[in-house]
Amino acid sequence: MPTTATDAFGALLYSAKRGFRFERMPILRRRALGLAGVREVGAFEAHRLPSEGRGNLGLYRIDYAGISVFQKMTTNTREFRMAKVLARAGESASHPRVLLCATRGPILHIFQEFVGEECRPVSPEVYATLASDFSAVATRVLGQVAPKDRLTWMESLSTPAFVAKLAQRTGLHADQLRRGLSDAMSQPRAVVHNDLHSSNIRQRNDGTPVAIDFGGVGWSLQGAEYYRLLPKQLTDDSKVEMFDEATAIAARLLGQPVEEVRRAAYLAAAARHARFARLRRDKAREEQALICAARAL
């Protein structure tokens, strides 16, 4: 079943179990503005924003009296559950403050601090610091509710079929590869963003970077999020300067050997490529999965 249909069905069940609520949208938006600091809410403006990504049904900016709130309509129940926990946790320097989570019929609504629409390039130091700070908060706050499917993706690299192809590529014995993969999977684990690319890094008015979009957040190997800095098509002459610099900084921040951080990122990249190769029968993605797995070992 397609992901969007699966998400929609999951959101329908989630809302049905809690009783369908049909509060008027202006009431929800006024409540969110009140939580953002507006004392008396009058006639506000709602602007629709470009949207993409899993389960997104609409993104909006709600403006009133110089205060803006971001609204996300979604069917992604995993993101919604984590947003509810973050709303209770309150302020954070690494992600927007979640103000309100509400259901309206089968649709889930997340209201949070608006942190701007403009995407700006960030330095390796900013990227590594933000990723580490977000992971530290997420592991502490979301540990009980964050999904573990990314770890399952990585464990799938140990299947006999994949190991056989990896042995053919590397010239290593299958048993040696299985031991290497098992050793890699024993690295420290953490809740990480998993989708920290340039579009998901925004700046507050004071220039502080924050990570947005919690749809991919979940348990993985510590350092796995840096796979996003690797080229989509990895070759022997690919430029990986940003990846090398950011992972070196991350290793210092985490107190871990840089080889472990990079190995986690390569395994995450391999697992992602392998998963999409299976779903789409894509030989090019399978080749990239083998290249990344070989580098991890």
Side-chain angles (χ1 to χ4, degrees):
M1 186 181 294
T3 299
T4 51
T6 304
D7 281 350
F9 185 67
L12 180 66
L13 288 179
Y14 180 90
S15 298
K17 288 178 181 177
R18 287 153 182 80
F20 285 115
R21 299 176 182 177
F22 287 96
E23 287 186 277
R24 294 179 63 240
M25 186 64 73
I27 293 176
L28 293 177
R29 288 173 170 171
R30 285 193 175 93
R31 190 183 305 162
L33 284 166
L35 292 168
V38 179
R39 290 189 177 182
E40 295 184 12
V41 183
F44 56 81
E45 294 183 352
H47 306 275
R48 183 148 192 166
L49 306 174
S51 63
E52 60 181 26
R54 174 179 170 179
N56 287 352
L57 301 179
L59 305 179
Y60 296 85
R61 188 185 76 242
I62 317 301
D63 298 328
Y64 182 77
I67 292 179
S68 296
V69 168
F70 174 78
Q71 177 189 1
K72 182 175 188 177
M73 300 171 60
T74 182
T75 57
N76 189 335
T77 55
R78 302 192 319 174
E79 181 177 13
F80 187 75
R81 289 191 184 101
M82 288 188 287
K84 289 181 72 174
V85 175
L86 292 173
R88 292 194 295 269
E91 301 284 348
S92 172
S94 59
H95 65 76
R97 178 190 170 203
V98 179
L99 302 165
L100 174 68
C101 296
T103 58
R104 186 172 184 268
I107 308 303
L108 313 173
H109 299 264
I110 301 171
F111 295 87
Q112 63 190 45
E113 166 195 5
F114 185 78
V115 290
E117 300 175 54
E118 186 180 354
C119 308
R120 304 174 189 169
V122 296
S123 67
E125 184 174 3
V126 169
Y127 187 101
T129 302
L130 176 59
S132 298
D133 289 348
F134 182 92
S135 180
V137 171
T139 303
R140 174 173 52 82
V141 176
L142 299 174
Q144 298 299 315
V145 295
K148 299 182 178 180
D149 56 344
R150 298 301 177 102
L151 289 170
T152 304
W153 293 7
M154 290 191 187
E155 289 167 356
S156 69
L157 297 177
S158 299
T159 60
F162 188 84
V163 170
K165 292 175 182 177
L166 189 57
Q168 185 176 12
R169 164 172 283 278
T170 62
L172 299 174
H173 193 274
D175 288 340
Q176 185 179 355
L177 291 173
R178 275 190 287 269
R179 286 194 297 271
L181 289 168
S182 177
D183 180 60
M185 286 298 297
S186 68
Q187 291 179 216
R189 300 180 178 188
V191 179
V192 301
H193 189 280
N194 276 320
D195 199 21
L196 198 58
H197 52 77
S198 58
S199 295
N200 282 339
I201 299 176
R202 304 294 171 87
Q203 285 75 29
R204 288 189 168 104
N205 290 335
D206 62 1
T208 304
V210 293
I212 66 169
D213 194 346
F214 313 131
V217 172
W219 283 96
S220 193
L221 298 182
Q222 195 174 61
E225 62 263 66
Y226 296 97
Y227 86 89
R228 273 293 184 180
L229 298 180
L230 292 169
K232 291 183 178 180
Q233 298 295 318
L234 190 62
T235 62
D236 290 339
D237 59 352
S238 290
K239 294 181 179 179
V240 292
E241 288 85 355
M242 176 77 169
F243 173 79
D244 286 344
E245 289 184 47
T247 49
I249 295 166
R252 291 198 297 271
L253 294 172
L254 296 169
Q256 300 288 343
V258 68
E259 293 79 10
E260 284 192 5
V261 175
R262 289 173 181 164
R263 182 163 60 170
Y266 278 119
L267 281 176
R272 181 177 175 83
H273 283 303
R275 180 173 184 269
F276 283 103
R278 289 192 298 272
L279 290 175
R280 301 170 184 174
R281 299 182 181 180
D282 188 331
K283 291 295 183 182
R285 294 296 288 264
E286 183 181 75
E287 178 67 13
Q288 286 299 307
L290 292 168
I291 291 172
C292 291
R295 289 204 178 191
L297 299 172

PDB file of all heavy atoms in Angstrom, residues 240-258:
ATOM      1  N   VAL A 240      33.420  15.362  -0.907  1.00  0.00           N
ATOM      2  CA  VAL A 240      32.780  15.111   0.390  1.00  0.00           C
ATOM      3  C   VAL A 240      33.400  15.994   1.477  1.00  0.00           C
ATOM      4  O   VAL A 240      33.435  15.617   2.645  1.00  0.00           O
ATOM      5  CB  VAL A 240      32.874  13.614   0.776  1.00  0.00           C
ATOM      6  CG1 VAL A 240      32.023  12.757  -0.138  1.00  0.00           C
ATOM      7  CG2 VAL A 240      34.330  13.137   0.765  1.00  0.00           C
ATOM      8  N   GLU A 241      33.860  17.192   1.073  1.00  0.00           N
ATOM      9  CA  GLU A 241      34.523  18.072   2.034  1.00  0.00           C
ATOM     10  C   GLU A 241      33.582  18.469   3.177  1.00  0.00           C
ATOM     11  O   GLU A 241      33.970  18.460   4.342  1.00  0.00           O
ATOM     12  CB  GLU A 241      35.041  19.341   1.338  1.00  0.00           C
ATOM     13  CG  GLU A 241      36.242  19.115   0.436  1.00  0.00           C
ATOM     14  CD  GLU A 241      35.842  18.661  -0.966  1.00  0.00           C
ATOM     15  OE1 GLU A 241      34.634  18.426  -1.199  1.00  0.00           O
ATOM     16  OE2 GLU A 241      36.735  18.541  -1.827  1.00  0.00           O
ATOM     17  N   MET A 242      32.344  18.836   2.854  1.00  0.00           N
ATOM     18  CA  MET A 242      31.367  19.217   3.879  1.00  0.00           C
ATOM     19  C   MET A 242      31.121  18.050   4.830  1.00  0.00           C
ATOM     20  O   MET A 242      31.065  18.219   6.050  1.00  0.00           O
ATOM     21  CB  MET A 242      30.066  19.647   3.206  1.00  0.00           C
ATOM     22  CG  MET A 242      28.934  19.979   4.161  1.00  0.00           C
ATOM     23  SD  MET A 242      29.102  21.591   4.945  1.00  0.00           S
ATOM     24  CE  MET A 242      27.477  21.775   5.709  1.00  0.00           C
ATOM     25  N   PHE A 243      30.989  16.863   4.284  1.00  0.00           N
ATOM     26  CA  PHE A 243      30.781  15.664   5.093  1.00  0.00           C
ATOM     27  C   PHE A 243      31.965  15.421   6.015  1.00  0.00           C
ATOM     28  O   PHE A 243      31.798  15.183   7.220  1.00  0.00           O
ATOM     29  CB  PHE A 243      30.572  14.455   4.172  1.00  0.00           C
ATOM     30  CG  PHE A 243      30.502  13.133   4.882  1.00  0.00           C
ATOM     31  CD1 PHE A 243      29.340  12.734   5.525  1.00  0.00           C
ATOM     32  CD2 PHE A 243      31.603  12.281   4.903  1.00  0.00           C
ATOM     33  CE1 PHE A 243      29.277  11.511   6.187  1.00  0.00           C
ATOM     34  CE2 PHE A 243      31.549  11.060   5.550  1.00  0.00           C
ATOM     35  CZ  PHE A 243      30.381  10.672   6.194  1.00  0.00           C
ATOM     36  N   ASP A 244      33.175  15.496   5.468  1.00  0.00           N
ATOM     37  CA  ASP A 244      34.375  15.246   6.272  1.00  0.00           C
ATOM     38  C   ASP A 244      34.515  16.273   7.400  1.00  0.00           C
ATOM     39  O   ASP A 244      34.824  15.917   8.544  1.00  0.00           O
ATOM     40  CB  ASP A 244      35.623  15.268   5.381  1.00  0.00           C
ATOM     41  CG  ASP A 244      35.749  14.020   4.519  1.00  0.00           C
ATOM     42  OD1 ASP A 244      35.057  13.022   4.815  1.00  0.00           O
ATOM     43  OD2 ASP A 244      36.523  14.048   3.547  1.00  0.00           O
ATOM     44  N   GLU A 245      34.288  17.544   7.080  1.00  0.00           N
ATOM     45  CA  GLU A 245      34.443  18.593   8.096  1.00  0.00           C
ATOM     46  C   GLU A 245      33.376  18.474   9.184  1.00  0.00           C
ATOM     47  O   GLU A 245      33.675  18.563  10.381  1.00  0.00           O
ATOM     48  CB  GLU A 245      34.364  19.976   7.438  1.00  0.00           C
ATOM     49  CG  GLU A 245      35.576  20.333   6.590  1.00  0.00           C
ATOM     50  CD  GLU A 245      35.472  21.747   6.045  1.00  0.00           C
ATOM     51  OE1 GLU A 245      35.151  22.665   6.832  1.00  0.00           O
ATOM     52  OE2 GLU A 245      35.686  21.933   4.837  1.00  0.00           O
ATOM     53  N   ALA A 246      32.127  18.278   8.768  1.00  0.00           N
ATOM     54  CA  ALA A 246      31.032  18.208   9.742  1.00  0.00           C
ATOM     55  C   ALA A 246      31.171  16.988  10.644  1.00  0.00           C
ATOM     56  O   ALA A 246      30.939  17.069  11.858  1.00  0.00           O
ATOM     57  CB  ALA A 246      29.689  18.187   9.024  1.00  0.00           C
ATOM     58  N   THR A 247      31.550  15.848  10.089  1.00  0.00           N
ATOM     59  CA  THR A 247      31.686  14.650  10.916  1.00  0.00           C
ATOM     60  C   THR A 247      32.888  14.750  11.855  1.00  0.00           C
ATOM     61  O   THR A 247      32.862  14.196  12.962  1.00  0.00           O
ATOM     62  CB  THR A 247      31.803  13.388  10.044  1.00  0.00           C
ATOM     63  OG1 THR A 247      32.801  13.587   9.028  1.00  0.00           O
ATOM     64  CG2 THR A 247      30.475  13.062   9.386  1.00  0.00           C
ATOM     65  N   ALA A 248      33.935  15.445  11.442  1.00  0.00           N
ATOM     66  CA  ALA A 248      35.083  15.649  12.329  1.00  0.00           C
ATOM     67  C   ALA A 248      34.684  16.508  13.528  1.00  0.00           C
ATOM     68  O   ALA A 248      35.055  16.224  14.678  1.00  0.00           O
ATOM     69  CB  ALA A 248      36.236  16.302  11.563  1.00  0.00           C
ATOM     70  N   ILE A 249      33.894  17.560  13.272  1.00  0.00           N
ATOM     71  CA  ILE A 249      33.410  18.413  14.353  1.00  0.00           C
ATOM     72  C   ILE A 249      32.445  17.636  15.248  1.00  0.00           C
ATOM     73  O   ILE A 249      32.507  17.710  16.480  1.00  0.00           O
ATOM     74  CB  ILE A 249      32.721  19.664  13.778  1.00  0.00           C
ATOM     75  CG1 ILE A 249      33.739  20.523  13.029  1.00  0.00           C
ATOM     76  CG2 ILE A 249      32.044  20.481  14.889  1.00  0.00           C
ATOM     77  CD1 ILE A 249      33.124  21.588  12.152  1.00  0.00           C
ATOM     78  N   ALA A 250      31.560  16.850  14.622  1.00  0.00           N
ATOM     79  CA  ALA A 250      30.600  16.053  15.389  1.00  0.00           C
ATOM     80  C   ALA A 250      31.305  15.062  16.307  1.00  0.00           C
ATOM     81  O   ALA A 250      30.885  14.855  17.454  1.00  0.00           O
ATOM     82  CB  ALA A 250      29.670  15.302  14.441  1.00  0.00           C
ATOM     83  N   ALA A 251      32.361  14.456  15.810  1.00  0.00           N
ATOM     84  CA  ALA A 251      33.099  13.490  16.629  1.00  0.00           C
ATOM     85  C   ALA A 251      33.648  14.150  17.887  1.00  0.00           C
ATOM     86  O   ALA A 251      33.604  13.574  18.983  1.00  0.00           O
ATOM     87  CB  ALA A 251      34.229  12.873  15.805  1.00  0.00           C
ATOM     88  N   ARG A 252      34.142  15.379  17.746  1.00  0.00           N
ATOM     89  CA  ARG A 252      34.648  16.100  18.917  1.00  0.00           C
ATOM     90  C   ARG A 252      33.518  16.436  19.883  1.00  0.00           C
ATOM     91  O   ARG A 252      33.660  16.306  21.104  1.00  0.00           O
ATOM     92  CB  ARG A 252      35.364  17.388  18.475  1.00  0.00           C
ATOM     93  CG  ARG A 252      36.665  17.140  17.730  1.00  0.00           C
ATOM     94  CD  ARG A 252      37.529  18.394  17.701  1.00  0.00           C
ATOM     95  NE  ARG A 252      36.898  19.487  16.973  1.00  0.00           N
ATOM     96  CZ  ARG A 252      37.028  19.692  15.669  1.00  0.00           C
ATOM     97  NH1 ARG A 252      37.757  18.856  14.933  1.00  0.00           N
ATOM     98  NH2 ARG A 252      36.444  20.729  15.088  1.00  0.00           N
ATOM     99  N   LEU A 253      32.371  16.853  19.342  1.00  0.00           N
ATOM    100  CA  LEU A 253      31.237  17.195  20.187  1.00  0.00           C
ATOM    101  C   LEU A 253      30.701  15.975  20.928  1.00  0.00           C
ATOM    102  O   LEU A 253      30.268  16.071  22.088  1.00  0.00           O
ATOM    103  CB  LEU A 253      30.123  17.819  19.351  1.00  0.00           C
ATOM    104  CG  LEU A 253      30.419  19.181  18.723  1.00  0.00           C
ATOM    105  CD1 LEU A 253      29.303  19.577  17.757  1.00  0.00           C
ATOM    106  CD2 LEU A 253      30.565  20.259  19.805  1.00  0.00           C
ATOM    107  N   LEU A 254      30.715  14.831  20.256  1.00  0.00           N
ATOM    108  CA  LEU A 254      30.170  13.608  20.839  1.00  0.00           C
ATOM    109  C   LEU A 254      31.185  12.843  21.683  1.00  0.00           C
ATOM    110  O   LEU A 254      30.807  11.952  22.443  1.00  0.00           O
ATOM    111  CB  LEU A 254      29.656  12.685  19.719  1.00  0.00           C
ATOM    112  CG  LEU A 254      28.488  13.205  18.882  1.00  0.00           C
ATOM    113  CD1 LEU A 254      28.277  12.322  17.663  1.00  0.00           C
ATOM    114  CD2 LEU A 254      27.219  13.267  19.728  1.00  0.00           C
ATOM    115  N   GLY A 255      32.457  13.190  21.531  1.00  0.00           N
ATOM    116  CA  GLY A 255      33.492  12.431  22.226  1.00  0.00           C
ATOM    117  C   GLY A 255      33.651  11.036  21.662  1.00  0.00           C
ATOM    118  O   GLY A 255      34.005  10.093  22.374  1.00  0.00           O
ATOM    119  N   GLN A 256      33.392  10.880  20.356  1.00  0.00           N
ATOM    120  CA  GLN A 256      33.480   9.593  19.677  1.00  0.00           C
ATOM    121  C   GLN A 256      34.553   9.640  18.591  1.00  0.00           C
ATOM    122  O   GLN A 256      34.837  10.711  18.049  1.00  0.00           O
ATOM    123  CB  GLN A 256      32.134   9.231  19.027  1.00  0.00           C
ATOM    124  CG  GLN A 256      30.970   9.116  19.982  1.00  0.00           C
ATOM    125  CD  GLN A 256      31.052   7.876  20.844  1.00  0.00           C
ATOM    126  OE1 GLN A 256      31.796   6.935  20.542  1.00  0.00           O
ATOM    127  NE2 GLN A 256      30.302   7.870  21.945  1.00  0.00           N
ATOM    128  N   PRO A 257      35.156   8.493  18.264  1.00  0.00           N
ATOM    129  CA  PRO A 257      36.103   8.480  17.139  1.00  0.00           C
ATOM    130  C   PRO A 257      35.400   8.896  15.850  1.00  0.00           C
ATOM    131  O   PRO A 257      34.252   8.512  15.606  1.00  0.00           O
ATOM    132  CB  PRO A 257      36.545   7.006  17.064  1.00  0.00           C
ATOM    133  CG  PRO A 257      36.270   6.459  18.424  1.00  0.00           C
ATOM    134  CD  PRO A 257      35.054   7.171  18.916  1.00  0.00           C
ATOM    135  N   VAL A 258      36.068   9.697  15.043  1.00  0.00           N
ATOM    136  CA  VAL A 258      35.453  10.180  13.813  1.00  0.00           C
ATOM    137  C   VAL A 258      35.096   9.024  12.891  1.00  0.00           C
ATOM    138  O   VAL A 258      34.110   9.083  12.139  1.00  0.00           O
ATOM    139  CB  VAL A 258      36.379  11.197  13.110  1.00  0.00           C
ATOM    140  CG1 VAL A 258      37.648  10.516  12.582  1.00  0.00           C
ATOM    141  CG2 VAL A 258      35.640  11.903  11.984  1.00  0.00           C
TER     142      VAL A 258
END
